[in-house]
Amino acid sequence: MAVASAAAGSIFRKQLLFSLLVLILFCDACQKISLQVPSHLQAETLVGKVNLKECLQSASLVLSSDPDFRILEDGSIYTTHDLILSSERKSFSIFVLDSQRKEQKEIEIVLAAGGNKAPKKRHTKDTVLKRSKRRWAPIPCSLMENSLGPFPQHVQQVQSDAAQNYTIFYSISGPGVDKEPFNLFFIDKDTGDIFCTRSIDREQYDQFPLYAYATTADGYAPEYPLPLVFKVEDDNDNAPYFENKVTVFNVPENCRSGTSVGQVTAIDLDEPDTLHTRLKYKILQQIPDHPKHFSIHPDTGVITTTTPLLDREKCDTYTLVMEVRDMGGQPFGLFNTGTITISLEDENDNAPYFAETSYFAEVEENRIDVEILRMAIHDQDLPNTPHSQAVYTILQGNENGHFKISTDPKTNEAVLCVVKPLNYEVNRQIVLQIGVLNEAQFSKAANSQTPPTMCTTTVTVKVKDSDEGPECQPPVKVIQSKDGLPAGKELLGYKASDPETRNGEGLRYKKIGDEDGWFDINEYTGDLKTLKVLDRESKFVKNDQYNVSVVAMDADGRSCTGTLVVLLEDDNDHPPQLEKEVTICRHNKEYAVLEPVDPDGPENGPPFQFFLDNSASKLWTIETKDGKTAILRERQNLDYNYYTVPIEIKDRHGLVGKHMLSVRVCDCTTPSDCRMNIVDERDVKLSNVILGKWAILAMVLGSALLLCILFTCFCVTAKKTVKKCFPEDVAQQNLIVSNTEGPGEEVMEANIRLPIQTSNICDTSMSGGTLGGQGVKTQQNFEMVKGGYTLDSSKGGGHQTLESVKGVGQGVTDTGRFAYTDWHSFTQPRLGEESIRGHTLIKN
């Protein structure tokens, strides 16, 4: 493409010819368009552009029938991926739809691969269309920002060499044409002249990338789309401005000269790295303006201090009015101003000091936890910070710890309190020296050589006298007593005193603590009197000490409490003690270790001495080990059994303890596993007693039972042969309990006359009684002398008679005799009880 100039007549003829061709080809514009393209197309390559409006004025939808290509709304055709075309032509269709008017148009696109042949004949010349890359090339072009016109303003002209043989129409697309900003550029489609319609702001659009197209009347594109870049030249139309409207910097007071305070930055929207954006900074004004404390680097905007005299207590804030100017700070450069605030950070460079040099306070004696004085201070440093918060110290006068000083967090005052009772009789006036510092460490100023010393003040405290109660000093008093001190002995007791008179007159004492009731206290003197024998080994004695609590009261009821500690001196009144039984396990060790214990103290305890008597020495040996234990051994192997060994043990002062030690010799490994085949003598004796009793009882009951059975059988047999089983004189005889386990006398047939009519004579199975007398006379009823038989009751423990069983006055005609029925009812139940009891005992 080249820039050309033609005569007005020639231009008119071309315009007329173009108009005729448009009218002729208008109807064919929606039918077929040929485009010359290279055989290899990369993805997103612009192939050509179709004027869709000439085909359909209002197209709402544009579609491609070939997925290798996509169509934009402005008619631009782009490849969707890399594409290689053959030498033959490739064709596809573009469908244009109007949804409102319901119209549809189809545009056929024919792509011809290779750029050396014309796709079709244009005129009778039959000239082949050839491209010249040298002529169809972009020409560098720039636009001036904020141009004043006149508009439209000519920018550039493009021209194709194909215009020498064909009628070529030119068009452009891109930002400023069919993209934002719209209608900024347009092209004369006949001449290729490009015009700008208005001024341009470079800060909004710094360049415009466009594409120029050359097509014939029938839509054939003999040239590739030509990329054009219109660059906008910058105009210094933007003044620089500070990035932050309000900037605050902090810097410590008393800092050294040259300390960096902060850096200010400004923004210029003009083109970077040009004179339009070369900025310079300077301080126009400092408030307050004297002395000058700050300077600024003109290029970097870094603010630094120029003196070490920044004092927050004199001025805590400075304001700087700043200027920033472009064009390298030249007077004709654009500029802006801003305000910088610099705040001074507090340092602990001022020592606190008391408002007064001395103070005076009063307090009653014996008062505690009471505030007696407040002291104010002055500090020029920033309030409510560690630089001004006070820390008070009592330097002198508080050696006994009566006072405490603290800081009131709200007022920063010193608060002096009494925390330990004061005694008027000891100190009537106390002088305190108090110092004050800050919580933060003192910061030495840059212009100061030595830090200030601590500020101090003097406080005089007057102690006021008051009537006090008794005083128990010391709170704990220790007295000594001998162990084993008998009852009725007196000991020196606890003594309290009146602080006013310094004596104990008028005081009364009372015992309030005595665990085992050892003492009685004298109400007037406080002395103690023993009620029991003092025993150091008592469970109430701890570490040889027995405590007695005493309260002392004056006439007004005021009191104090003290503790009297009775320290018991050990007396050798307990011999060494030893366990009663030990076990010797043959499979573990063939000896027993004796470990005696002496309840007395160490001075009356070990070393111990062990002795065996002559009888024990024959079977046993004993040897002392380390004075505290002894080893007991057998002289020879003894049978597994229990042995009693008499042993004597002496302590260091010769007090003897005699013990009968039970030694068990066992076939075991540990004493708990003892399984020896011996019987405890106590168990043997107990078993003998139990076995003898049961054997005797079984024998007695067995004999009695056998006798009763034989006698019963005899009576039943005799009833069938004799009428009477006893003579009448039997009534004159008595049945006497013999308490002898004997079978009794046998009743011979010669002594009995039994009638045949007799029946149910008796059940004579009695235990413990026999019949006495000679001769038996038969009779119908068996009668006995009243009260002639007695029986030991197994339940009541006394004697029962037939008279007591039958009762007196129950129709007995003859008070001296009893019928057989009475005898039978008396003996039968008792014989059954004895039989059952004897059977039970035999089973047991």
Side-chain angles (χ1 to χ4, degrees):
M1 182 178 293
V3 179
S5 61
S10 176
I11 294 175
F12 176 78
R13 286 193 298 271
K14 289 182 179 180
Q15 291 178 351
L16 179 60
L17 179 60
F18 176 75
S19 300
L20 293 176
L21 289 173
V22 169
L23 292 175
I24 294 173
L25 299 175
F26 179 77
C27 295
D28 296 333
C30 291
Q31 295 179 359
K32 186 176 182 180
I33 296 178
S34 299
L35 297 175
Q36 189 76 20
V37 295
S39 59
H40 180 266
L41 295 175
Q42 294 182 352
E44 299 298 328
T45 300
L46 179 63
V47 177
K49 186 175 182 182
V50 179
N51 191 351
L52 301 178
K53 292 183 179 180
E54 292 182 356
C55 182
L56 190 63
Q57 288 294 330
S58 58
S60 59
L61 182 61
V62 181
L63 300 175
S64 172
S65 63
D66 192 339
D68 294 337
F69 303 93
R70 61 184 181 92
I71 314 300
L72 303 184
E73 294 180 356
D74 62 351
S76 299
I77 304 173
Y78 287 89
T79 57
T80 58
H81 56 83
D82 291 349
L83 187 64
I84 299 177
L85 302 179
S86 62
S87 58
E88 299 179 357
R89 296 185 177 184
K90 180 177 179 64
S91 62
F92 63 94
S93 299
I94 298 176
F95 298 97
V96 185
L97 305 178
D98 187 350
S99 59
Q100 294 181 353
R101 299 175 59 183
K102 297 182 180 180
E103 293 184 12
Q104 177 178 342
K105 298 290 185 179
E106 180 181 357
I107 304 175
E108 182 181 0
I109 304 297
V110 178
L111 301 180
N116 296 327
K117 296 182 179 180
K120 61 180 292 184
K121 295 182 179 179
R122 299 299 173 186
H123 295 286
T124 55
K125 298 180 181 179
D126 195 19
T127 305
V128 177
L129 184 62
K130 295 183 179 180
R131 285 193 174 93
S132 174
K133 295 183 179 179
R134 181 181 58 83
R135 303 296 300 276
W136 181 253
I139 300 175
C141 181
S142 62
L143 301 174
M144 189 63 190
E145 179 187 12
N146 301 324
S147 174
L148 300 178
F151 299 103
Q153 183 179 12
H154 184 270
V155 177
Q156 194 180 43
Q157 183 185 26
V158 294
Q159 211 172 34
S160 174
D161 292 342
Q164 298 177 1
N165 301 320
Y166 301 98
T167 300
I168 299 299
F169 299 99
Y170 301 99
S171 62
I172 57 174
S173 66
V177 182
D178 50 3
K179 296 181 181 179
E180 289 286 347
F182 294 103
N183 302 321
L184 179 61
F185 302 100
F186 71 90
I187 189 172
D188 188 328
K189 63 180 178 179
D190 296 326
T191 63
D193 290 313
I194 301 174
F195 296 91
C196 179
T197 60
R198 58 183 180 273
S199 62
I200 304 173
D201 186 3
R202 191 208 65 84
E203 285 69 43
Q204 189 175 6
Y205 302 100
D206 58 349
Q207 66 179 9
F208 295 92
L210 304 178
Y211 280 95
Y213 307 94
T215 58
T216 60
D218 57 356
Y220 175 74
E223 301 283 357
Y224 296 136
L226 179 65
L228 300 174
V229 178
F230 295 160
K231 183 178 178 182
V232 181
E233 297 292 340
D234 182 47
D235 181 27
N236 190 23
D237 56 345
N238 292 279
Y241 62 91
F242 288 100
E243 187 173 3
N244 298 318
K245 294 182 179 180
V246 178
T247 303
V248 178
F249 294 123
N250 297 313
V251 63
E253 65 173 329
N254 302 317
C255 62
R256 298 182 180 275
S257 178
T259 302
S260 176
V261 178
Q263 182 180 15
V264 295
T265 56
I267 298 175
D268 195 325
L269 298 178
D270 290 324
E271 186 174 1
D273 302 325
T274 63
L275 193 60
H276 298 162
T277 55
R278 188 179 301 171
L279 308 181
K280 294 291 184 178
Y281 301 91
K282 69 177 180 179
I283 299 175
L284 297 179
Q285 184 181 6
Q286 173 187 300
I287 303 173
D289 59 350
H290 185 77
K292 301 295 183 181
H293 292 295
F294 307 97
S295 64
I296 189 170
H297 192 283
D299 296 325
T300 62
V302 175
I303 302 173
T304 56
T305 58
T306 58
T307 68
L309 302 178
L310 291 173
D311 190 354
R312 191 204 64 83
E313 286 71 37
K314 294 181 180 179
C315 180
D316 60 352
T317 303
Y318 291 88
T319 301
L320 302 180
V321 179
M322 312 290 298
E323 178 193 88
V324 56
R325 187 183 293 266
D326 62 13
M327 301 300 291
Q330 296 297 324
F332 53 82
L334 303 179
F335 67 92
N336 235 322
T337 60
T339 301
I340 306 298
T341 301
I342 300 176
S343 296
L344 299 186
E345 297 177 348
D346 184 44
E347 294 288 326
N348 189 22
D349 57 342
N350 293 278
Y353 58 92
F354 287 98
E356 300 180 16
T357 56
S358 63
Y359 296 87
F360 178 81
E362 290 183 340
V363 63
E364 292 183 358
E365 64 173 334
N366 299 318
R367 294 285 302 277
I368 60 173
D369 296 330
V370 58
E371 178 184 320
I372 62 173
L373 182 64
R374 280 179 172 259
M375 295 171 285
I377 64 163
H378 299 291
D379 195 325
Q380 297 179 358
D381 290 321
L382 190 65
N384 300 321
T385 64
H387 299 155
S388 61
Q389 290 292 333
V391 178
Y392 301 95
T393 306
I394 301 177
L395 301 177
Q396 293 180 4
N398 192 33
E399 287 77 12
N400 295 325
H402 293 284
F403 301 94
K404 176 185 177 181
I405 194 167
S406 59
T407 305
D408 189 328
K410 296 182 179 180
T411 62
N412 206 27
E413 294 177 323
V415 181
L416 184 63
C417 299
V418 177
V419 294
K420 188 177 178 180
L422 293 168
N423 194 335
Y424 174 80
E425 289 72 26
V426 176
N427 284 320
R428 300 187 179 184
Q429 179 175 292
I430 300 176
V431 179
L432 303 176
Q433 185 181 19
I434 298 176
V436 61
L437 290 173
N438 292 126
E439 291 183 1
Q441 188 176 1
F442 186 81
S443 175
K444 185 174 69 174
N447 56 348
S448 176
Q449 298 298 326
T450 58
T453 58
M454 176 187 293
C455 179
T456 60
T457 188
T458 301
V459 179
T460 302
V461 181
K462 181 180 179 182
V463 182
K464 299 169 64 177
D465 187 23
S466 63
D467 190 9
E468 305 170 84
E471 193 176 68
C472 294
Q473 292 294 336
V476 179
K477 182 178 179 181
V478 179
I479 62 173
Q480 289 186 344
S481 175
K482 291 185 178 181
D483 183 16
L485 186 69
K489 297 296 182 178
E490 291 189 357
L491 295 175
L492 183 64
Y494 191 90
K495 303 296 183 181
S497 63
D498 189 334
E500 307 295 335
T501 62
R502 285 304 179 189
N503 58 54
E505 295 181 1
L507 299 181
R508 299 293 182 267
Y509 296 91
K510 182 179 179 181
K511 183 181 64 172
I512 60 174
D514 184 4
E515 287 185 293
D516 200 23
W518 282 9
F519 300 100
D520 187 19
I521 191 168
N522 189 312
E523 181 182 2
Y524 300 98
T525 63
D527 292 336
L528 300 179
K529 184 177 182 179
T530 59
L531 300 177
K532 298 181 179 179
V533 177
L534 305 188
D535 185 8
R536 174 188 165 278
E537 287 72 29
S538 171
K539 65 179 181 179
F540 301 99
V541 176
K542 309 297 182 189
N543 298 325
D544 300 340
Q545 298 178 358
Y546 183 82
N547 297 334
V548 179
S549 298
V550 178
V551 60
M553 295 181 293
D554 60 9
D556 296 330
R558 292 171 295 190
S559 64
C560 68
T561 303
T563 301
L564 188 64
V565 177
V566 181
L567 182 62
L568 297 174
E569 299 176 357
D570 186 31
D571 187 22
N572 193 19
D573 55 349
H574 292 84
Q577 304 297 323
L578 187 64
E579 293 184 1
K580 296 182 179 181
E581 182 177 306
V582 296
T583 301
I584 296 178
C585 288
R586 286 278 178 82
H587 294 289
N588 183 19
K589 50 187 178 182
E590 296 182 352
Y591 60 89
V593 179
L594 307 183
E595 298 178 349
V597 177
D598 195 330
D600 295 324
E603 63 277 4
N604 293 318
F608 299 122
Q609 295 179 0
F610 300 85
F611 302 96
L612 296 173
D613 64 1
N614 295 330
S615 60
S617 300
K618 297 178 181 179
L619 300 178
W620 306 91
T621 63
I622 191 168
E623 57 179 302
T624 304
K625 184 180 180 181
D626 66 27
K628 296 181 180 179
T629 60
I631 303 298
L632 181 65
R633 300 179 186 271
E634 308 167 75
R635 286 191 178 273
Q636 58 187 1
N637 289 338
L638 302 177
D639 295 336
Y640 297 143
N641 208 334
Y642 284 89
Y643 298 90
T644 301
V645 181
I647 296 179
E648 293 184 1
I649 306 176
K650 292 183 180 181
D651 60 15
R652 66 167 60 193
H653 296 297
L655 184 62
V656 179
K658 296 182 178 181
H659 306 279
M660 298 300 293
L661 180 65
S662 177
V663 181
R664 180 172 58 173
V665 180
C666 184
D667 183 15
C668 60
T669 303
T670 60
S672 61
D673 297 334
C674 183
R675 293 293 183 269
M676 64 182 183
N677 299 321
I678 63 173
V679 181
D680 195 331
E681 295 177 359
R682 293 167 294 180
D683 296 338
V684 171
K685 293 179 181 179
L686 182 59
S687 301
N688 291 338
V689 172
I690 294 175
L691 293 175
K693 181 179 179 180
W694 286 107
I696 295 172
L697 183 60
M699 293 171 63
V700 171
L701 293 179
S703 301
L705 181 60
L706 180 60
L707 179 62
C708 292
I709 293 173
L710 294 174
F711 186 74
T712 302
C713 294
F714 172 77
C715 291
V716 173
T717 306
K719 178 180 178 183
K720 297 180 182 181
T721 57
V722 297
K723 182 178 179 180
K724 296 283 185 174
C725 62
F726 295 101
E728 291 182 359
D729 59 356
V730 174
Q732 304 302 324
Q733 305 295 326
N734 291 332
L735 294 176
I736 301 172
V737 178
S738 67
N739 291 329
T740 303
E741 289 75 5
E745 296 181 0
E746 182 179 358
V747 180
M748 303 303 295
E749 185 177 356
N751 299 331
I752 301 175
R753 289 180 295 173
L754 298 174
I756 301 173
Q757 295 87 354
T758 304
S759 63
N760 298 330
I761 293 176
C762 62
D763 183 4
T764 59
S765 57
M766 297 181 296
S767 63
T770 61
L771 293 175
Q774 299 292 330
V776 177
K777 182 178 179 179
T778 61
Q779 58 183 13
Q780 185 67 29
N781 294 323
F782 178 52
E783 297 178 352
M784 295 178 59
V785 178
K786 180 180 179 182
Y789 176 78
T790 61
L791 180 65
D792 288 335
S793 174
S794 62
K795 296 183 180 180
H799 294 281
Q800 289 185 345
T801 65
L802 288 173
E803 182 180 3
S804 64
V805 174
K806 179 180 179 182
V808 180
Q810 295 183 2
V812 182
T813 58
D814 187 359
T815 60
R817 305 177 71 84
F818 289 95
Y820 169 77
T821 56
D822 296 330
W823 166 257
H824 184 272
S825 61
F826 176 79
T827 60
Q828 188 65 25
R830 287 158 178 78
L831 290 174
E833 292 176 0
E834 292 298 329
S835 300
I836 293 172
R837 186 178 301 128
H839 180 66
T840 304
L841 292 173
I842 291 171
K843 288 180 64 178
N844 293 334

